[in-house]
Amino acid sequence: MIHPRGIKSLFLLMLLFPGFASAQKDWQDFMKQFPDHLDISLLIQDETGEPLFQQHAGKRIPSASIIKIPILISLMEKVDEEHMHLDSLYTLQASDKVGGAGELQHLPEGSRITFRYLAEEMIRISDNTATNILIRTIEMDYIQHWLREYGYEDTQLNRIMMDFKAIEEGRQNYTSPQEINDILIKLWNGAWLNENSRAEIMHWLKGCADNSTIPSQLPAGTVVAHKTGTLDYVRGDAGIILGDKPLILSVFVEKFDSMEEAESAIGQIALKAFRDFGR
């Protein structure tokens, strides 16, 4: 279920522009090509926030590493307020290291690294050790307060990365297409941060090394600022396709038979969105 403003916008567009209603029907037909067992939640919007197509956009979904987008914005808010400095050094401890994605787990204890490097690696290769250091430094309560302050209820940071005990206890990180899109739209339009910090985040998001989802089927050279997320039961991507007309897009796939099946679906959706709305 999409935000009431989005529903109103869709309804008015369908009334005023018959071509828009036709496009919605085309998209509904397009989505029928995917296997029935796939559970796909998505939202496509333009840079003003107008919805272009949605399916289960209000569904709360385990966020996987897509939660790292609001973590990054919270970090840069602290930088803007001069409570943190990106070039300050952090000393890596053995207790910081966790498995999964990332290279910091392989660095020797005592390595000195900047917070700039931690932020970049959190996005570039989804480094979990870097993410946990940032969560502890920023403070989880601060990040949660930031989300609540701006009205985000579906998007929650309830555990650090690779905390399997927390997952067993039912503490999971969540988001929804509706909310992560809104976060990206506000980031794009400069709602929270100064221009230097906004540009830094966009640079990091453009450097995401996992290009097997939204960017995978787009024309060569198409720039995408995005962050992917992967769990055994969720594959997602949320970002901004920087075509002639910027598109904000998030897609989450559940109940897939293989990761490749989920990634192919996300890639096909992104390509159609780009062709229909991004140029």
Side-chain angles (χ1 to χ4, degrees), residues 24-38 40 42 53-56 265 268-269 272:
Q24 295 298 295
K25 177 64 166 57
D26 174 61
W27 266 87
Q28 291 164 2
D29 291 341
F30 169 78
M31 294 303 297
K32 291 175 183 177
Q33 73 174 300
F34 297 111
D36 290 340
H37 65 264
L38 287 185
I40 302 175
L42 71 101
F53 183 74
Q54 68 90 19
Q55 178 172 288
H56 311 308
Q268 290 178 63
I269 290 166
K272 181 170 175 57

Side-chain angles (χ1 to χ4, degrees), residues 77-89:
E77 184 174 87
K78 285 213 165 191
V79 169
D80 279 359
E81 294 170 353
E82 299 187 350
H83 297 311
M84 291 182 64
H85 300 278
L86 290 179
D87 293 321
S88 296
L89 290 169

Side-chain angles (χ1 to χ4, degrees), residues 182-246:
D182 191 70
I183 289 170
L184 287 167
I185 289 167
K186 286 186 168 62
L187 171 66
W188 175 254
N189 288 304
W192 297 304
L193 306 171
N194 70 39
E195 183 52 35
N196 287 339
S197 293
R198 174 191 172 278
E200 194 85 71
I201 288 181
M202 292 300 297
H203 171 72
W204 288 326
L205 292 174
K206 290 174 187 176
C208 178
D210 182 0
N211 290 319
S212 57
T213 46
I214 287 176
S216 64
Q217 300 182 38
L218 296 176
T222 305
V223 177
V224 182
H226 69 123
K227 181 69 193 81
T228 55
T230 309
L231 294 168
D232 290 342
Y233 43 88
V234 180
R235 183 66 162 128
D237 199 354
I240 305 171
I241 302 175
L242 295 165
D244 295 336
K245 301 173 183 177

